Amino acid sequence: MSPMLASAGLNQLQQLQYLLVRPPVVVRTVSRRPSLRVSPRAAAPVFDVELGDGAVQPASSELLVSAPIQKPVVSTGRQKVRDQKKRELQAAANGPIIMVPKPLPSVLIIHTGGTLGMDPIASYEPDVDGKERLKGGGTFKGTLGPGDMLNNLLNVVPELNEFANLHLKVAYNKDSSRVGPKEWVELAKLLHNNRKHYDAFLVVHGTDTMAYTASALSLMLLGFRKPIVMTGSQLPLAKPRSDARQNLIDAITCATAYFNPPHVQLQEVAVCFGGQLMRGNRAQKVNASNYQAFDSPTYHKLALLGVEVDWQARYLLQVEGGYRPRFGLDPAVIRLPIVPGSDPRTAYGDLVARGVKGVILEAFGVGNMPDLPQQGWLPWLKSQRKKGLQVYLSSQCTEGTLNPELYRSGQVALSMGVEAGPRMTPECAVVKMMQCLRYPAIPLGVPLAGEM
């Protein structure tokens, strides 16, 4: 209190009015008579004051006052009892403000192997220049347990705990070159069995066949309606310059995007790698050594991750219909490029006789191929189609549309029953052919999960 005020003997109301003509202060209305007790809870002084009309503000509310208040009203004993009861009811209605932390989403991390989980010491050896090189395809711990793997992840990337409540399962621990239809089905069933128990899924996978696995999951788990984000790395997690750390943080950022502003709802299988989020069945590995190892040449990026996350929400998959899982795949499918000067009757022979049921034929440009009889391609196609071989015409170009009808060879191929387009990546076309062979009612040329 000002010494000058004290010596002047001003009463409490005058003191209060003096203080209120100073720069605006925060006033909290409570149930006691005028008081000059100063609370340190705000930058400006806070005073406990009862308004003269008996009105009571919530205990947590704050009022900015810059004008004189009304004179206090003298209450009788009966009035005081009524005021007290009113204040008690008001206080009970307002109650204390309790800060409750927002619950984190639940995320299942599924480890399948790949470079991210390699032993950083046993997997590398020095070359003649003293630089490290991968030794024998890398070393994988065959008995890797979920607890060990999760501890490793959280020790190196503790920030993951800030995004979600994490659980981890090890589906298998393999170099992705050893992953195929059997492992795709195993992984799809693991996701299916845990679909109701988690809000989102993060799949750690090797880079070499990630595009195949992502395509398989998108087609087998049609209408899954929850984020399945796949990622990996070009260097093991424990390496000093590994890209694994950033890829994991980016992947879980995208997987849990619905639970944080701007609440983007990702409902598809996606690949998150090198600061980019891509539709899984449109992604392709395009670089063997760069940290931006994947691209999506036939579709827009779903998000770009830099200082901010730049979501391209209009390109996200809009899921229609219910959940329709299908776990059947027929692996008797191969990719065949058309090579100038080669005769397929000699180079490939009778594929049907060797058990091949489907071929992704990679033609030139928009779907062109050699059309002279002596070059062999059209006669070979005719004979294989008569034996029941399913053929999807793709392109050796990474971008552009398919229009095989523009050329004579394409027209003849289409007349034989060869399917061409809409355009799919070769990786996705292989997987969809496997599915269509197992489920003949599914048309190869009709989009199911945004793959074409």
Side-chain angles (χ1 to χ4, degrees):
M1 182 186 305
S2 168
M4 181 177 66
L5 285 176
S7 62
L10 297 178
N11 60 41
Q12 289 186 339
L13 180 59
Q14 289 173 319
Q15 294 170 10
L16 178 61
Q17 290 174 336
Y18 170 81
L19 290 168
L20 289 174
V21 297
R22 298 170 63 190
V25 296
V26 177
V27 175
R28 183 181 56 196
T29 60
V30 294
S31 61
R32 296 190 180 276
R33 65 180 184 275
S35 170
L36 298 180
R37 181 173 57 83
V38 177
S39 169
R41 62 183 294 269
V46 178
F47 300 93
D48 295 333
V49 178
E50 180 185 17
L51 296 181
D53 59 0
V56 178
Q57 294 287 341
S60 62
S61 66
E62 293 180 340
L63 177 65
L64 190 65
V65 176
S66 60
I69 62 172
Q70 298 177 359
K71 293 183 178 180
V73 178
V74 178
S75 300
T76 64
R78 187 175 298 177
Q79 180 66 35
K80 288 181 178 178
V81 172
R82 286 198 295 266
D83 291 344
Q84 178 65 24
K85 288 183 178 180
K86 184 178 179 181
R87 288 190 290 267
E88 290 176 355
L89 290 172
Q90 187 72 38
N94 292 326
I97 296 177
I98 302 175
M99 301 300 293
V100 179
K102 184 178 66 174
L104 293 174
S106 181
V107 174
L108 178 62
I109 300 175
I110 301 178
H111 180 75
T112 67
T115 301
L116 187 145
M118 280 184 181
D119 186 322
I121 298 175
S123 298
Y124 289 83
E125 63 182 359
D127 61 13
V128 293
D129 297 325
K131 298 180 181 179
E132 288 187 331
R133 66 178 180 183
L134 195 62
K135 179 175 63 178
T139 300
F140 297 88
K141 186 177 179 181
T143 58
L144 182 65
D148 294 337
M149 183 62 194
L150 185 58
N151 286 336
N152 291 341
L153 288 177
L154 296 181
N155 284 336
V156 180
V157 198
E159 296 91 336
L160 295 176
N161 270 324
E162 299 179 14
F163 291 89
N165 294 314
L166 301 174
H167 302 266
L168 187 139
K169 294 180 183 290
V170 178
Y172 37 84
N173 194 30
K174 299 180 178 180
D175 184 305
S176 68
S177 66
R178 300 170 183 170
V179 173
K182 176 178 174 293
E183 287 76 18
W184 301 338
V185 172
E186 183 180 344
L187 180 57
K189 288 183 177 179
L190 179 59
L191 287 161
H192 168 76
N193 293 334
N194 287 279
R195 176 174 176 261
K196 296 181 179 179
H197 307 308
Y198 295 92
D199 298 306
F201 300 85
L202 195 160
V203 179
V204 176
H205 197 283
T207 59
D208 286 343
T209 60
M210 188 187 295
Y212 286 95
T213 302
S215 296
L217 294 178
S218 73
L219 295 171
M220 287 193 287
L221 301 175
L222 205 61
F224 193 82
R225 290 183 182 274
K226 289 186 177 182
I228 301 174
V229 182
M230 302 189 66
T231 194
S233 66
Q234 295 284 59
L235 286 174
L237 178 63
K239 280 285 186 181
R241 292 189 60 254
S242 175
D243 55 328
R245 174 187 172 84
Q246 192 61 54
N247 284 345
L248 287 168
I249 292 174
D250 286 349
I252 201 167
T253 298
C254 294
T256 59
Y258 182 70
F259 301 91
N260 299 288
H263 304 290
V264 176
Q265 192 167 18
L266 182 68
Q267 301 184 86
E268 58 185 287
V269 180
V271 169
C272 187
F273 211 99
Q276 302 180 119
L277 184 71
M278 296 153 278
R279 178 163 294 168
N281 53 38
R282 297 293 192 106
Q284 292 181 274
K285 185 175 181 180
V286 296
N287 197 305
S289 56
N290 195 289
Y291 282 166
Q292 281 198 333
F294 285 83
D295 197 7
S296 178
T298 64
Y299 196 68
H300 305 276
K301 307 295 189 302
L302 305 182
L304 299 175
L305 297 102
V307 175
E308 302 290 342
V309 181
D310 181 15
W311 283 96
Q312 305 295 311
R314 62 188 179 278
Y315 300 125
L316 297 176
L317 183 67
Q318 302 302 313
V319 179
E320 298 179 357
Y323 178 45
R324 304 178 298 284
R326 299 184 182 96
F327 302 112
L329 293 173
D330 191 329
V333 177
I334 60 173
R335 289 172 59 178
L336 293 180
I338 295 177
V339 180
S342 67
D343 189 328
R345 294 169 295 190
T346 304
Y348 304 133
D350 191 350
L351 296 179
V352 177
R354 300 203 301 270
V356 177
K357 299 178 183 179
V359 166
I360 308 304
L361 188 61
E362 298 173 5
F364 306 135
V366 296
N368 196 11
M369 70 182 75
D371 63 341
L372 298 177
Q374 62 269 26
Q375 293 174 308
W377 283 98
L378 293 179
W380 175 79
L381 267 180
K382 184 177 180 179
S383 66
Q384 293 296 289
R385 283 290 300 137
K386 283 184 177 180
K387 294 182 179 182
L389 184 70
Q390 299 298 312
V391 181
Y392 173 80
L393 195 64
S394 183
S395 174
Q396 296 177 23
C397 298
T398 56
E399 298 184 52
T401 58
L402 280 171
N403 292 293
E405 66 279 1
L406 297 178
Y407 293 91
R408 176 183 175 277
S409 60
Q411 295 173 0
V412 174
L414 293 175
S415 69
M416 297 177 186
V418 171
E419 295 209 42
R423 176 80 177 271
M424 288 185 279
T425 66
E427 295 89 344
C428 186
V430 165
V431 177
K432 193 169 184 182
M433 177 74 79
M434 292 180 180
Q435 188 179 59
C436 291
L437 290 173
R438 180 65 179 80
Y439 301 98
I442 298 177
L444 186 61
V446 174
L448 300 177
E451 73 278 12
M452 55 174 58

